[in-house]
Amino acid sequence: MYDVTAIGELLIDFAARDTDAAGYPTMKANPGGAPGNFLAALSKYGLRTAFLGKVGTDAFGGLLINTLKEAGIETKGIRQDSSVFTTLAFVTFDAGGDRSFSFARKPGADTQLSFEELDLELIDQAKVFHFGTLSLTDEPVRTAAKRAVEYARKKGKWITFDPNLRLPLWNTPDEAREQILWGLSQADVVKISDEEVEFLWGITDEEKAAEKLQKEFGVKLSMVTMGPRGAYLSSEKAAARAVCPRVTPVDTTGAGDIFGGSAVAWLLKSGKAPEELDEKELAAMGAFASAAASLSTETPGGIPSIPSEEAVLKKLRGSETV
């Protein structure tokens, strides 16, 4: 049995570490992909997880599968395809550690996963099914993801969703908006950034965004993240804010995914349904997830940066806040 099964992209993040006089970066390869980061955080905090996806038969594909295994994630749902290359992402940073992306994904292996290749038992055996919109950019994975969501809903699974907006991977912004809105309409639990809220609706008020998610989309637990400003969390019963502990960021890659995975780990350990969380519980969940995400930014990479539960709790006990 699994607590969470996710479908989605598994890729290599090439992160710039130095730049020569001509502007060419020296890059370090890290395991990446939002659903993998999300599951790795859940596994780090004691939950049982499984992944549905596709990589190439190249060296990077093998490395990624091994990395997920080492993170405690079940990998039997990952297919390898010799006809396509494992997806690559190139991440560069500004002075504050914020990222910009470019991708080698035309097509990447993750986009070539079909519904027929899915091990549906991994959904049957899970309590939660998670997906993001990078599984909705291209066929055949778009159909695979949508049918998997439909299958999971019919089986009574909680659905968690992360828009994870990456505009360079979409044909048009309107297509991205359409698919994100579809994802929101399917979800019980949503982690969404303030930038994604502004992209979708042109609003910057996190409280209005959470209200919109609940009233218009039926979301039971909304988590609006605001980078170093923390997060706003809202259930059907209450709402709360979380602040971030003071850190010195070097790489924000995966921080949002780690927030989401940490929050869902807290939720599942609580034993409560997402809509039932009260203000105190929302605040505790948000504090834990914000601390985990903040600490992750002090270490390069996504999966390698996930802090231990002990480190998160220590930070919560003695942190200053920003």
Side-chain angles (χ1 to χ4, degrees):
M1 297 296 292
Y2 305 100
D3 295 295
V4 183
T5 292
I7 189 171
E9 71 279 6
L10 193 57
L11 51 84
I12 296 291
D13 280 325
F14 285 93
R17 288 292 170 262
D18 196 7
T19 305
D20 67 16
Y24 289 95
T26 299
M27 310 195 89
K28 182 183 185 303
N30 283 306
N37 296 333
F38 176 86
L39 291 183
L42 282 150
S43 294
K44 189 85 169 184
Y45 304 131
L47 282 299
R48 297 157 298 176
T49 63
F51 195 97
L52 298 168
K54 179 177 278 193
V55 296
T57 54
D58 49 83
F60 286 133
L63 281 171
L64 288 166
I65 291 172
N66 288 336
T67 295
L68 292 198
K69 286 180 179 177
E70 290 172 2
I73 300 167
E74 174 58 65
T75 62
K76 68 180 181 180
I78 300 175
R79 307 300 176 218
Q80 288 191 273
D81 188 336
S82 61
S83 69
V84 283
F85 202 79
T86 300
T87 301
L88 308 177
F90 298 90
V91 190
T92 54
F93 303 94
D94 65 17
D98 289 323
R99 307 154 295 162
S100 61
F101 289 87
S102 55
F103 295 87
R105 194 184 187 230
K106 298 180 180 180
D110 71 290
T111 69
Q112 300 306 295
L113 180 70
S114 67
F115 182 76
E116 291 70 26
E117 293 176 297
L118 300 184
D119 184 344
L120 296 179
E121 287 188 359
L122 295 178
I123 300 177
D124 293 336
Q125 295 173 11
K127 184 171 185 176
V128 176
F129 182 69
H130 176 79
F131 75 110
T133 47
L134 293 199
S135 296
L136 304 176
T137 59
D138 298 270
E139 293 291 358
V141 72
R142 178 185 293 181
T143 295
K146 288 191 171 185
R147 289 183 64 184
V149 170
E150 179 185 17
Y151 181 87
R153 284 170 61 92
K154 286 181 178 178
K155 293 286 184 174
K157 312 302 180 182
W158 292 354
I159 307 297
T160 62
F161 174 64
D162 181 354
N164 194 32
L165 178 64
R166 297 288 180 265
L167 279 175
L169 292 177
W170 294 93
N171 292 322
T172 66
D174 285 344
E175 183 186 23
R177 187 175 291 107
E178 175 187 354
Q179 296 302 323
I180 291 173
L181 292 175
W182 178 86
L184 294 175
S185 73
Q186 305 299 307
D188 300 299
V189 177
V190 169
K191 195 285 293 180
I192 188 169
S193 74
D194 51 356
E195 293 177 350
E196 290 157 350
V197 165
E198 187 169 6
F199 168 77
L200 289 173
W201 302 303
I203 60 177
T204 57
D205 186 317
E206 59 273 10
E207 294 185 23
K208 289 182 180 178
E211 182 180 6
K212 196 175 188 72
L213 288 167
Q214 290 169 351
K215 290 185 176 179
E216 296 185 19
F217 295 90
V219 174
K220 297 173 181 176
L221 172 61
S222 304
M223 300 178 285
V224 183
T225 58
M226 301 171 286
R229 296 190 297 118
Y232 179 78
L233 302 93
S234 178
S235 71
E236 293 180 3
K237 290 181 64 175
R241 291 183 179 274
V243 296
C244 292
R246 190 179 299 278
V247 295
T248 304
V250 297
D251 181 358
T252 58
T253 303
D257 311 323
I258 293 165
F259 180 100
S262 303
V264 173
W266 194 101
L267 172 66
L268 289 170
K269 288 181 178 181
S270 78
K272 297 190 73 171
E275 66 270 25
E276 295 175 349
L277 296 176
D278 61 27
E279 183 178 358
K280 183 178 179 181
E281 291 162 336
L282 289 168
M285 179 174 67
F288 181 85
S290 293
S294 296
L295 285 170
S296 76
T297 68
E298 296 190 314
T299 303
I303 291 174
S305 74
I306 301 169
S308 68
E309 186 168 6
E310 292 75 17
V312 175
L313 296 176
K314 181 180 178 181
K315 192 70 172 176
L316 287 173
R317 286 192 296 267
S319 69
E320 298 177 42
T321 58
V322 294

